[in-house]
Amino acid sequence: MAEYSALSIVKNALTGNRDWKPAWRKPEPKPAYDVIIIGGGGHGLSTAYYLASEFGIRNVAVLEKGWVGSGNIGRNTTIVRSNYLLPGNTPFYEHSMKLWENLSHELNYNVMFSQRGIINLFHTPAQEDDHARRGNAMILQGVDARFVRPPELKRRVPALNLSGSSRFPVLGGLEQPRAGTARHDAVAWGYARGADRRGVDIIENCEVTGFVREGDQVTGVETSRGRIHARKVAAAVAGSTSRVMALAGINRLPIESHVLQAFVTESVKPCLDTVVTYGGGHLYISQSDKGSLVFGGDIDGYNSYAQRGNLPIVEDVMSEVLELFPAFAKLRLLRSWGGIMDMSMDGSPIIAKGPLPGLYLNAGWCYGGFKATPASGWCFAHTIARDEPHEFNAPFTLDRFHRGYVIDEKGQGATPWKH
């Protein structure tokens, strides 16, 4: 497989880039594996990588119905952060942040992680108190946080509307300096290459059509490329979780599927070197390395498996962009797309054994799937290998909804689309 270095770049440049080797193999599926992972997105690939690299389990297959990175890992706004309030969430996402900080070196693949910071704006005294509470909680749990006042915002984000006559005047912001962005598809490719180099079979164009069971025990899967047996089967399929679990006879889960839209403008000169979120509505915006503004907002308020959204959300998001950044009014929108969000009942994920023996579930990521990619894979691999959760994902059980131990970061109750 390909080795990447400055020397290899120079060598291939001089030979017309004709000698690059494939980043990963295209194997045929074997009759049986120790572990099958359904889903070739960020979470499935990172799980396979950490099973091989951390736990020595290399007889693993990742089954992807399309191509690597064709799902939500390539359909998000690339934000990475760990600025959470609740004890169940903060250690997990901070662990993910620490993995992000060394990920390019570990994978020998540039995931373009840029720690440009994130600023969550607040617009009322009540919001300021809420942000102060969250910032203090972050600091107490070892996460970086600081307040940013309007004079500093004016210097650092010149395009930001700081007028006192705006509908929701900006009073300041809570910043996490270590947050930032990463290149989403590079993350998928890096983990795929890293897993393949450790012996994992990544099998594309292989759709799971059913589960093989001996009584209640899951012992394999039926696929479009034949039956494959395994000691353990893990599902990491994001918004398709309900559909895939229904194939195993699991028809009720604390998850709903919704569409989340994202937008990209034409490229412009550098004008926004951090991530900004809007406290007067729901907007998050940053500028990519290519110069495009990348942003998104609320999910479409209805259940759907479509990878496209409707115009009311487009209008809502655009109005919020112009409220914060009036100077962006004449930019042309290049494209938009939708990803299928697996929205849990409390806004926090599920990384756990079950709901059947031999089956493991990674789901319920709501808006937070991309930033959690390293920690999700690391914790899911631990759960699969050891048959018990790590302390980082111990709160993310499937039965917490039944037991009443919800992790409701936003305090919105059992209304998935509000999280």
Short mmCIF file of all heavy atoms in Angstrom, two decimals, residues 164-230:
data_model
loop_
_atom_site.label_atom_id
_atom_site.label_comp_id
_atom_site.label_asym_id
_atom_site.label_seq_id
_atom_site.Cartn_x
_atom_site.Cartn_y
_atom_site.Cartn_z
N GLY A 164 -25.48 47.70 17.50
CA GLY A 164 -26.46 47.63 18.58
C GLY A 164 -27.88 47.64 18.09
O GLY A 164 -28.82 47.35 18.85
N SER A 165 -28.09 47.95 16.80
CA SER A 165 -29.44 47.99 16.24
C SER A 165 -29.85 46.68 15.59
O SER A 165 -30.94 46.59 15.03
CB SER A 165 -29.53 49.12 15.21
OG SER A 165 -28.64 48.88 14.14
N SER A 166 -28.99 45.67 15.64
CA SER A 166 -29.35 44.39 15.04
C SER A 166 -30.45 43.73 15.87
O SER A 166 -30.69 44.08 17.04
CB SER A 166 -28.13 43.47 14.96
OG SER A 166 -27.61 43.22 16.25
N ARG A 167 -31.12 42.77 15.28
CA ARG A 167 -32.26 42.15 15.96
C ARG A 167 -31.85 41.49 17.27
O ARG A 167 -32.54 41.59 18.28
CB ARG A 167 -32.91 41.12 15.03
CG ARG A 167 -34.16 40.50 15.64
CD ARG A 167 -34.84 39.56 14.65
NE ARG A 167 -36.07 39.01 15.21
CZ ARG A 167 -36.81 38.09 14.62
NH1 ARG A 167 -36.45 37.64 13.42
NH2 ARG A 167 -37.91 37.64 15.19
N PHE A 168 -30.71 40.80 17.26
CA PHE A 168 -30.16 40.18 18.46
C PHE A 168 -28.72 40.66 18.63
O PHE A 168 -27.79 40.02 18.15
CB PHE A 168 -30.21 38.65 18.36
CG PHE A 168 -31.60 38.09 18.24
CD1 PHE A 168 -32.06 37.59 17.03
CD2 PHE A 168 -32.45 38.07 19.33
CE1 PHE A 168 -33.34 37.07 16.91
CE2 PHE A 168 -33.73 37.56 19.22
CZ PHE A 168 -34.18 37.06 18.01
N PRO A 169 -28.52 41.81 19.28
CA PRO A 169 -27.15 42.36 19.41
C PRO A 169 -26.21 41.37 20.08
O PRO A 169 -26.58 40.66 21.02
CB PRO A 169 -27.37 43.60 20.28
CG PRO A 169 -28.80 43.96 20.10
CD PRO A 169 -29.53 42.67 19.91
N VAL A 170 -24.99 41.31 19.57
CA VAL A 170 -23.98 40.39 20.10
C VAL A 170 -23.37 40.99 21.36
O VAL A 170 -22.79 42.08 21.33
CB VAL A 170 -22.89 40.11 19.05
CG1 VAL A 170 -21.78 39.25 19.65
CG2 VAL A 170 -23.48 39.45 17.80
N LEU A 171 -23.46 40.26 22.46
CA LEU A 171 -22.88 40.71 23.72
C LEU A 171 -21.51 40.10 23.98
O LEU A 171 -20.75 40.59 24.83
CB LEU A 171 -23.81 40.36 24.89
CG LEU A 171 -25.23 40.95 24.84
CD1 LEU A 171 -25.98 40.60 26.11
CD2 LEU A 171 -25.20 42.45 24.62
N GLY A 172 -21.19 39.03 23.27
CA GLY A 172 -19.91 38.36 23.46
C GLY A 172 -20.00 36.93 22.99
O GLY A 172 -20.94 36.54 22.29
N GLY A 173 -19.02 36.13 23.39
CA GLY A 173 -19.01 34.74 22.97
C GLY A 173 -18.17 33.88 23.90
O GLY A 173 -17.31 34.38 24.63
N LEU A 174 -18.45 32.59 23.89
CA LEU A 174 -17.65 31.60 24.61
C LEU A 174 -16.79 30.89 23.57
O LEU A 174 -17.31 30.29 22.63
CB LEU A 174 -18.54 30.61 25.34
CG LEU A 174 -17.82 29.45 26.04
CD1 LEU A 174 -16.94 29.96 27.18
CD2 LEU A 174 -18.82 28.41 26.55
N GLU A 175 -15.48 30.94 23.75
CA GLU A 175 -14.54 30.36 22.78
C GLU A 175 -13.89 29.11 23.34
O GLU A 175 -13.51 29.06 24.50
CB GLU A 175 -13.46 31.36 22.40
CG GLU A 175 -12.47 30.80 21.38
CD GLU A 175 -11.33 31.74 21.05
OE1 GLU A 175 -11.03 32.62 21.88
OE2 GLU A 175 -10.72 31.58 19.99
N GLN A 176 -13.78 28.11 22.48
CA GLN A 176 -12.88 26.98 22.75
C GLN A 176 -11.75 27.07 21.73
O GLN A 176 -11.91 26.72 20.56
CB GLN A 176 -13.58 25.63 22.64
CG GLN A 176 -12.62 24.50 23.03
CD GLN A 176 -13.18 23.11 22.83
OE1 GLN A 176 -14.18 22.90 22.14
NE2 GLN A 176 -12.52 22.12 23.42
N PRO A 177 -10.58 27.54 22.14
CA PRO A 177 -9.49 27.78 21.17
C PRO A 177 -8.99 26.52 20.47
O PRO A 177 -8.50 26.60 19.34
CB PRO A 177 -8.39 28.40 22.05
CG PRO A 177 -9.11 29.01 23.20
CD PRO A 177 -10.25 28.08 23.46
N ARG A 178 -9.08 25.35 21.10
CA ARG A 178 -8.55 24.12 20.50
C ARG A 178 -9.51 23.49 19.50
O ARG A 178 -9.14 22.51 18.84
CB ARG A 178 -8.22 23.10 21.59
CG ARG A 178 -7.01 23.47 22.42
CD ARG A 178 -6.88 22.63 23.68
NE ARG A 178 -6.89 21.21 23.41
CZ ARG A 178 -7.80 20.36 23.91
NH1 ARG A 178 -8.80 20.81 24.67
NH2 ARG A 178 -7.71 19.07 23.66
N ALA A 179 -10.72 23.99 19.40
CA ALA A 179 -11.67 23.45 18.43
C ALA A 179 -11.25 23.85 17.02
O ALA A 179 -10.28 24.59 16.83
CB ALA A 179 -13.07 23.95 18.74
N GLY A 180 -11.97 23.37 16.04
CA GLY A 180 -11.62 23.74 14.66
C GLY A 180 -12.38 22.94 13.64
O GLY A 180 -13.55 22.58 13.83
N THR A 181 -11.71 22.65 12.53
CA THR A 181 -12.32 21.90 11.43
C THR A 181 -11.33 20.87 10.90
O THR A 181 -10.12 20.96 11.14
CB THR A 181 -12.72 22.83 10.26
OG1 THR A 181 -11.55 23.47 9.75
CG2 THR A 181 -13.72 23.89 10.72
N ALA A 182 -11.85 19.89 10.18
CA ALA A 182 -11.01 18.89 9.51
C ALA A 182 -11.65 18.57 8.17
O ALA A 182 -12.82 18.86 7.93
CB ALA A 182 -10.88 17.62 10.35
N ARG A 183 -10.87 17.98 7.28
CA ARG A 183 -11.37 17.62 5.95
C ARG A 183 -12.13 16.29 6.07
O ARG A 183 -11.52 15.24 6.33
CB ARG A 183 -10.21 17.51 4.95
CG ARG A 183 -10.61 17.06 3.56
CD ARG A 183 -11.53 18.06 2.87
NE ARG A 183 -11.98 17.56 1.59
CZ ARG A 183 -11.45 17.91 0.41
NH1 ARG A 183 -10.45 18.78 0.37
NH2 ARG A 183 -11.90 17.41 -0.70
N HIS A 184 -13.45 16.31 5.87
CA HIS A 184 -14.26 15.14 6.19
C HIS A 184 -13.88 13.89 5.39
O HIS A 184 -13.72 12.81 5.96
CB HIS A 184 -15.75 15.43 6.06
CG HIS A 184 -16.14 16.22 4.84
ND1 HIS A 184 -15.49 16.13 3.64
CD2 HIS A 184 -17.16 17.09 4.65
CE1 HIS A 184 -16.07 16.90 2.76
NE2 HIS A 184 -17.09 17.51 3.34
N ASP A 185 -13.74 14.01 4.07
CA ASP A 185 -13.44 12.82 3.30
C ASP A 185 -12.03 12.30 3.57
O ASP A 185 -11.79 11.09 3.52
CB ASP A 185 -13.66 13.04 1.79
CG ASP A 185 -13.13 14.37 1.30
OD1 ASP A 185 -12.39 15.03 2.04
OD2 ASP A 185 -13.48 14.75 0.17
N ALA A 186 -11.10 13.20 3.90
CA ALA A 186 -9.74 12.75 4.25
C ALA A 186 -9.76 11.90 5.51
O ALA A 186 -8.94 10.98 5.65
CB ALA A 186 -8.82 13.96 4.44
N VAL A 187 -10.67 12.19 6.43
CA VAL A 187 -10.79 11.38 7.64
C VAL A 187 -11.21 9.96 7.28
O VAL A 187 -10.64 8.98 7.77
CB VAL A 187 -11.80 12.02 8.61
CG1 VAL A 187 -12.01 11.14 9.84
CG2 VAL A 187 -11.32 13.41 9.05
N ALA A 188 -12.20 9.83 6.39
CA ALA A 188 -12.64 8.50 5.95
C ALA A 188 -11.51 7.77 5.24
O ALA A 188 -11.24 6.59 5.53
CB ALA A 188 -13.86 8.63 5.04
N TRP A 189 -10.83 8.45 4.34
CA TRP A 189 -9.76 7.80 3.58
C TRP A 189 -8.59 7.41 4.50
O TRP A 189 -7.99 6.35 4.34
CB TRP A 189 -9.27 8.72 2.47
CG TRP A 189 -10.35 9.08 1.49
CD1 TRP A 189 -11.47 8.36 1.18
CD2 TRP A 189 -10.42 10.28 0.71
NE1 TRP A 189 -12.23 9.03 0.26
CE2 TRP A 189 -11.62 10.21 -0.06
CE3 TRP A 189 -9.61 11.40 0.57
CZ2 TRP A 189 -12.00 11.22 -0.94
CZ3 TRP A 189 -10.00 12.40 -0.31
CH2 TRP A 189 -11.18 12.31 -1.05
N GLY A 190 -8.27 8.28 5.44
CA GLY A 190 -7.16 7.99 6.34
C GLY A 190 -7.44 6.76 7.20
O GLY A 190 -6.57 5.89 7.37
N TYR A 191 -8.65 6.68 7.76
CA TYR A 191 -8.98 5.51 8.57
C TYR A 191 -9.08 4.26 7.72
O TYR A 191 -8.69 3.16 8.15
CB TYR A 191 -10.30 5.75 9.31
CG TYR A 191 -10.12 6.42 10.66
CD1 TYR A 191 -10.76 7.63 10.96
CD2 TYR A 191 -9.32 5.86 11.65
CE1 TYR A 191 -10.61 8.24 12.20
CE2 TYR A 191 -9.16 6.46 12.89
CZ TYR A 191 -9.81 7.66 13.16
OH TYR A 191 -9.65 8.25 14.38
N ALA A 192 -9.62 4.38 6.49
CA ALA A 192 -9.71 3.22 5.61
C ALA A 192 -8.32 2.68 5.29
O ALA A 192 -8.08 1.47 5.37
CB ALA A 192 -10.45 3.60 4.32
N ARG A 193 -7.42 3.56 4.96
CA ARG A 193 -6.05 3.15 4.65
C ARG A 193 -5.38 2.54 5.87
O ARG A 193 -4.70 1.50 5.78
CB ARG A 193 -5.27 4.36 4.15
CG ARG A 193 -3.78 4.11 3.89
CD ARG A 193 -3.15 5.37 3.31
NE ARG A 193 -1.71 5.23 3.22
CZ ARG A 193 -0.87 5.52 4.21
NH1 ARG A 193 -1.34 5.97 5.37
NH2 ARG A 193 0.44 5.38 4.05
N GLY A 194 -5.56 3.18 7.04
CA GLY A 194 -4.94 2.66 8.26
C GLY A 194 -5.47 1.29 8.64
O GLY A 194 -4.71 0.41 9.07
N ALA A 195 -6.79 1.09 8.51
CA ALA A 195 -7.37 -0.21 8.83
C ALA A 195 -6.90 -1.28 7.84
O ALA A 195 -6.54 -2.40 8.23
CB ALA A 195 -8.89 -0.11 8.81
N ASP A 196 -6.87 -0.94 6.55
CA ASP A 196 -6.45 -1.89 5.52
C ASP A 196 -5.00 -2.33 5.75
O ASP A 196 -4.68 -3.52 5.60
CB ASP A 196 -6.58 -1.23 4.15
CG ASP A 196 -6.12 -2.15 3.03
OD1 ASP A 196 -6.95 -2.93 2.54
OD2 ASP A 196 -4.92 -2.09 2.66
N ARG A 197 -4.15 -1.40 6.14
CA ARG A 197 -2.73 -1.74 6.37
C ARG A 197 -2.56 -2.71 7.53
O ARG A 197 -1.53 -3.36 7.64
CB ARG A 197 -1.93 -0.46 6.64
CG ARG A 197 -1.70 0.39 5.40
CD ARG A 197 -1.28 1.80 5.77
NE ARG A 197 -0.05 1.85 6.56
CZ ARG A 197 1.18 1.87 6.04
NH1 ARG A 197 1.33 1.83 4.73
NH2 ARG A 197 2.23 1.94 6.82
N ARG A 198 -3.56 -2.81 8.39
CA ARG A 198 -3.50 -3.71 9.53
C ARG A 198 -4.30 -4.98 9.30
O ARG A 198 -4.57 -5.73 10.24
CB ARG A 198 -3.97 -2.97 10.79
CG ARG A 198 -2.95 -1.96 11.26
CD ARG A 198 -3.54 -0.90 12.17
NE ARG A 198 -2.50 0.00 12.65
CZ ARG A 198 -1.99 1.01 11.95
NH1 ARG A 198 -2.45 1.25 10.73
NH2 ARG A 198 -1.03 1.76 12.45
N GLY A 199 -4.72 -5.22 8.06
CA GLY A 199 -5.34 -6.48 7.70
C GLY A 199 -6.84 -6.49 7.61
O GLY A 199 -7.44 -7.53 7.31
N VAL A 200 -7.49 -5.36 7.86
CA VAL A 200 -8.94 -5.29 7.79
C VAL A 200 -9.39 -5.33 6.33
O VAL A 200 -8.80 -4.67 5.47
CB VAL A 200 -9.45 -4.01 8.48
CG1 VAL A 200 -10.95 -3.82 8.25
CG2 VAL A 200 -9.13 -4.03 9.96
N ASP A 201 -10.43 -6.09 6.03
CA ASP A 201 -11.02 -6.12 4.69
C ASP A 201 -12.11 -5.05 4.59
O ASP A 201 -13.09 -5.10 5.34
CB ASP A 201 -11.63 -7.49 4.39
CG ASP A 201 -10.58 -8.54 4.06
OD1 ASP A 201 -9.39 -8.19 3.97
OD2 ASP A 201 -10.97 -9.72 3.93
N ILE A 202 -11.95 -4.12 3.68
CA ILE A 202 -12.96 -3.09 3.43
C ILE A 202 -13.67 -3.48 2.13
O ILE A 202 -13.08 -3.45 1.05
CB ILE A 202 -12.31 -1.70 3.32
CG1 ILE A 202 -11.62 -1.35 4.63
CG2 ILE A 202 -13.37 -0.65 2.97
CD1 ILE A 202 -10.77 -0.10 4.57
N ILE A 203 -14.93 -3.87 2.28
CA ILE A 203 -15.67 -4.45 1.15
C ILE A 203 -16.76 -3.46 0.75
O ILE A 203 -17.79 -3.32 1.42
CB ILE A 203 -16.27 -5.81 1.54
CG1 ILE A 203 -15.14 -6.74 2.04
CG2 ILE A 203 -16.99 -6.44 0.35
CD1 ILE A 203 -15.64 -8.00 2.69
N GLU A 204 -16.54 -2.78 -0.36
CA GLU A 204 -17.49 -1.80 -0.87
C GLU A 204 -18.52 -2.47 -1.77
O GLU A 204 -18.34 -3.60 -2.22
CB GLU A 204 -16.74 -0.70 -1.62
CG GLU A 204 -15.74 0.06 -0.74
CD GLU A 204 -14.86 1.01 -1.50
OE1 GLU A 204 -13.78 0.58 -1.96
OE2 GLU A 204 -15.25 2.18 -1.64
N ASN A 205 -19.63 -1.75 -2.02
CA ASN A 205 -20.72 -2.28 -2.83
C ASN A 205 -21.21 -3.62 -2.30
O ASN A 205 -21.42 -4.58 -3.05
CB ASN A 205 -20.29 -2.40 -4.30
CG ASN A 205 -19.87 -1.07 -4.88
OD1 ASN A 205 -20.63 -0.11 -4.84
ND2 ASN A 205 -18.65 -1.01 -5.40
N CYS A 206 -21.38 -3.68 -0.99
CA CYS A 206 -21.80 -4.90 -0.32
C CYS A 206 -22.90 -4.53 0.69
O CYS A 206 -22.62 -4.20 1.84
CB CYS A 206 -20.61 -5.55 0.38
SG CYS A 206 -20.98 -7.13 1.18
N GLU A 207 -24.13 -4.59 0.25
CA GLU A 207 -25.26 -4.18 1.10
C GLU A 207 -25.74 -5.32 1.98
O GLU A 207 -25.93 -6.45 1.50
CB GLU A 207 -26.41 -3.69 0.23
CG GLU A 207 -27.60 -3.20 1.03
CD GLU A 207 -28.70 -2.62 0.17
OE1 GLU A 207 -28.57 -2.66 -1.07
OE2 GLU A 207 -29.71 -2.13 0.74
N VAL A 208 -25.93 -5.03 3.25
CA VAL A 208 -26.49 -6.02 4.17
C VAL A 208 -27.99 -6.10 3.94
O VAL A 208 -28.70 -5.09 3.99
CB VAL A 208 -26.17 -5.64 5.63
CG1 VAL A 208 -26.95 -6.54 6.60
CG2 VAL A 208 -24.68 -5.76 5.89
N THR A 209 -28.48 -7.31 3.67
CA THR A 209 -29.91 -7.53 3.38
C THR A 209 -30.61 -8.34 4.46
O THR A 209 -31.83 -8.51 4.41
CB THR A 209 -30.07 -8.24 2.03
OG1 THR A 209 -29.35 -9.49 2.08
CG2 THR A 209 -29.51 -7.38 0.90
N GLY A 210 -29.87 -8.84 5.44
CA GLY A 210 -30.47 -9.61 6.52
C GLY A 210 -29.42 -10.06 7.51
O GLY A 210 -28.21 -9.86 7.30
N PHE A 211 -29.88 -10.66 8.60
CA PHE A 211 -28.98 -11.16 9.63
C PHE A 211 -29.13 -12.67 9.76
O PHE A 211 -30.24 -13.22 9.60
CB PHE A 211 -29.29 -10.51 10.98
CG PHE A 211 -28.83 -9.08 11.07
CD1 PHE A 211 -29.59 -8.06 10.53
CD2 PHE A 211 -27.64 -8.75 11.69
CE1 PHE A 211 -29.18 -6.73 10.61
CE2 PHE A 211 -27.21 -7.44 11.78
CZ PHE A 211 -27.98 -6.43 11.24
N VAL A 212 -28.02 -13.36 10.03
CA VAL A 212 -28.02 -14.79 10.30
C VAL A 212 -28.10 -14.97 11.81
O VAL A 212 -27.31 -14.39 12.56
CB VAL A 212 -26.75 -15.46 9.74
CG1 VAL A 212 -26.77 -16.96 10.02
CG2 VAL A 212 -26.60 -15.19 8.25
N ARG A 213 -29.05 -15.78 12.26
CA ARG A 213 -29.25 -15.97 13.69
C ARG A 213 -29.36 -17.44 14.04
O ARG A 213 -29.89 -18.25 13.28
CB ARG A 213 -30.50 -15.22 14.17
CG ARG A 213 -30.37 -13.73 14.11
CD ARG A 213 -31.68 -12.99 14.35
NE ARG A 213 -32.31 -13.31 15.63
CZ ARG A 213 -33.38 -12.67 16.09
NH1 ARG A 213 -33.93 -11.68 15.39
NH2 ARG A 213 -33.91 -13.00 17.25
N GLU A 214 -28.84 -17.78 15.22
CA GLU A 214 -29.07 -19.09 15.83
C GLU A 214 -29.81 -18.81 17.13
O GLU A 214 -29.20 -18.47 18.14
CB GLU A 214 -27.74 -19.81 16.07
CG GLU A 214 -27.00 -20.15 14.79
CD GLU A 214 -25.69 -20.87 15.05
OE1 GLU A 214 -25.40 -21.16 16.25
OE2 GLU A 214 -24.96 -21.14 14.09
N GLY A 215 -31.12 -18.95 17.10
CA GLY A 215 -31.94 -18.48 18.21
C GLY A 215 -31.90 -16.97 18.25
O GLY A 215 -32.14 -16.31 17.24
N ASP A 216 -31.57 -16.41 19.41
CA ASP A 216 -31.42 -14.96 19.51
C ASP A 216 -30.03 -14.48 19.14
O ASP A 216 -29.81 -13.29 18.92
CB ASP A 216 -31.73 -14.51 20.96
CG ASP A 216 -33.22 -14.53 21.25
OD1 ASP A 216 -34.01 -14.49 20.29
OD2 ASP A 216 -33.58 -14.59 22.44
N GLN A 217 -29.06 -15.38 19.06
CA GLN A 217 -27.67 -15.01 18.81
C GLN A 217 -27.46 -14.65 17.34
O GLN A 217 -27.81 -15.42 16.43
CB GLN A 217 -26.75 -16.18 19.16
CG GLN A 217 -25.27 -15.91 19.00
CD GLN A 217 -24.67 -15.14 20.15
OE1 GLN A 217 -25.21 -15.18 21.26
NE2 GLN A 217 -23.56 -14.46 19.93
N VAL A 218 -26.89 -13.47 17.11
CA VAL A 218 -26.53 -13.05 15.76
C VAL A 218 -25.19 -13.67 15.40
O VAL A 218 -24.19 -13.49 16.12
CB VAL A 218 -26.46 -11.51 15.66
CG1 VAL A 218 -25.94 -11.08 14.30
CG2 VAL A 218 -27.83 -10.90 15.91
N THR A 219 -25.13 -14.39 14.29
CA THR A 219 -23.91 -15.12 13.91
C THR A 219 -23.40 -14.73 12.53
O THR A 219 -22.46 -15.35 12.03
CB THR A 219 -24.16 -16.63 13.94
OG1 THR A 219 -25.23 -16.95 13.02
CG2 THR A 219 -24.55 -17.09 15.34
N GLY A 220 -24.00 -13.72 11.91
CA GLY A 220 -23.53 -13.30 10.60
C GLY A 220 -24.55 -12.43 9.91
O GLY A 220 -25.55 -12.01 10.50
N VAL A 221 -24.28 -12.16 8.63
CA VAL A 221 -25.17 -11.31 7.84
C VAL A 221 -25.36 -11.89 6.46
O VAL A 221 -24.50 -12.59 5.91
CB VAL A 221 -24.60 -9.86 7.71
CG1 VAL A 221 -24.61 -9.15 9.06
CG2 VAL A 221 -23.21 -9.86 7.11
N GLU A 222 -26.53 -11.62 5.89
CA GLU A 222 -26.78 -11.86 4.47
C GLU A 222 -26.49 -10.56 3.72
O GLU A 222 -26.91 -9.49 4.16
CB GLU A 222 -28.23 -12.27 4.24
CG GLU A 222 -28.67 -13.52 4.99
CD GLU A 222 -28.16 -14.81 4.35
OE1 GLU A 222 -27.48 -14.72 3.29
OE2 GLU A 222 -28.44 -15.89 4.90
N THR A 223 -25.78 -10.66 2.62
CA THR A 223 -25.41 -9.46 1.87
C THR A 223 -25.69 -9.65 0.39
O THR A 223 -26.00 -10.76 -0.07
CB THR A 223 -23.92 -9.12 2.05
OG1 THR A 223 -23.12 -9.98 1.22
CG2 THR A 223 -23.48 -9.25 3.49
N SER A 224 -25.55 -8.58 -0.35
CA SER A 224 -25.70 -8.64 -1.81
C SER A 224 -24.57 -9.43 -2.46
O SER A 224 -24.64 -9.72 -3.66
CB SER A 224 -25.76 -7.22 -2.38
OG SER A 224 -24.60 -6.48 -2.00
N ARG A 225 -23.55 -9.77 -1.65
CA ARG A 225 -22.44 -10.58 -2.17
C ARG A 225 -22.32 -11.91 -1.44
O ARG A 225 -21.27 -12.53 -1.41
CB ARG A 225 -21.13 -9.78 -2.07
CG ARG A 225 -21.17 -8.52 -2.92
CD ARG A 225 -19.96 -7.63 -2.75
NE ARG A 225 -18.74 -8.23 -3.24
CZ ARG A 225 -17.57 -7.58 -3.34
NH1 ARG A 225 -17.51 -6.29 -3.00
NH2 ARG A 225 -16.50 -8.18 -3.77
N GLY A 226 -23.44 -12.34 -0.83
CA GLY A 226 -23.47 -13.65 -0.20
C GLY A 226 -23.50 -13.58 1.32
O GLY A 226 -23.38 -12.52 1.93
N ARG A 227 -23.63 -14.75 1.93
CA ARG A 227 -23.67 -14.86 3.39
C ARG A 227 -22.26 -14.78 3.97
O ARG A 227 -21.32 -15.39 3.43
CB ARG A 227 -24.33 -16.17 3.80
CG ARG A 227 -24.32 -16.43 5.30
CD ARG A 227 -25.08 -17.68 5.67
NE ARG A 227 -26.52 -17.51 5.51
CZ ARG A 227 -27.43 -18.40 5.93
NH1 ARG A 227 -27.03 -19.52 6.54
NH2 ARG A 227 -28.71 -18.18 5.74
N ILE A 228 -22.12 -14.05 5.07
CA ILE A 228 -20.84 -13.93 5.75
C ILE A 228 -21.08 -14.16 7.24
O ILE A 228 -21.94 -13.51 7.85
CB ILE A 228 -20.20 -12.54 5.55
CG1 ILE A 228 -20.15 -12.16 4.07
CG2 ILE A 228 -18.80 -12.51 6.15
CD1 ILE A 228 -19.67 -10.74 3.80
N HIS A 229 -20.34 -15.08 7.83
CA HIS A 229 -20.48 -15.39 9.24
C HIS A 229 -19.49 -14.57 10.07
O HIS A 229 -18.45 -14.14 9.57
CB HIS A 229 -20.26 -16.89 9.48
CG HIS A 229 -21.34 -17.75 8.93
ND1 HIS A 229 -22.53 -17.97 9.58
CD2 HIS A 229 -21.42 -18.44 7.75
CE1 HIS A 229 -23.30 -18.77 8.86
NE2 HIS A 229 -22.65 -19.06 7.74
N ALA A 230 -19.82 -14.39 11.35
CA ALA A 230 -18.93 -13.66 12.25
C ALA A 230 -19.28 -13.99 13.69
O ALA A 230 -20.45 -14.29 14.01
CB ALA A 230 -19.04 -12.15 12.02
#
